Amino acid sequence: NGPQGGAFAEDDPAYTRYVLGSGGVIQGLEEGLTGMREGAVRQLIIPAGPLGYPPTDPNHTTVGPAPNTFSGMRALNFVLENTENIDKTILINVKVARIDKPGEKGNAKR
């Protein structure tokens, strides 16, 4: 049946900004983004544990990315809170649209 969850809307064209090293995203995403260049695409497979979502942030407000739909948040929480034998591996597809150097701000090219 394929992957379950569909936590993040695929049709949302908005970009999300992250500052590497700030602790604003899960550790696995931080590590996966490190070294990427503009236009680069990666599929990150993040195992359950210290590289994933911390149990101390159940609403995903401190560390992201957070799902942008109610059903997505519900699906993510179901997986993370489930104590049964369930695969908690996180699969994230990322594309770097733009990289700003410290102090720079610019307009993203779409």
Side-chain angles (χ1 to χ4, degrees):
N1 289 341
Q4 299 297 309
F8 302 89
E10 295 176 10
D11 59 351
D12 183 3
Y15 294 105
T16 304
R17 299 185 89 160
Y18 297 110
V19 177
L20 288 179
S22 69
V25 296
I26 58 174
Q27 189 62 37
L29 181 56
E30 179 97 18
E31 289 182 15
L33 288 171
T34 302
M36 290 183 73
R37 297 179 182 187
E38 264 184 43
V41 176
R42 281 189 185 160
Q43 183 175 71
L44 306 176
I45 301 171
I46 303 169
L51 296 178
Y53 290 94
T56 56
D57 185 23
N59 294 322
H60 318 297
T61 54
T62 306
V63 178
N68 52 8
T69 64
F70 173 77
S71 62
M73 183 69 82
R74 201 167 133 174
L76 178 61
N77 287 339
F78 172 79
V79 170
L80 295 177
E81 295 168 3
N82 196 316
T83 57
E84 301 297 318
N85 291 334
I86 188 170
D87 187 3
K88 297 183 181 195
T89 302
I90 301 167
L91 177 66
I92 300 177
N93 295 314
V94 295
K95 178 179 180 181
V96 176
R98 187 182 79 220
I99 299 174
D100 292 335
K101 295 184 177 158
E104 283 185 358
K105 289 185 180 178
N107 295 321
K109 298 175 185 174
R110 293 189 184 207

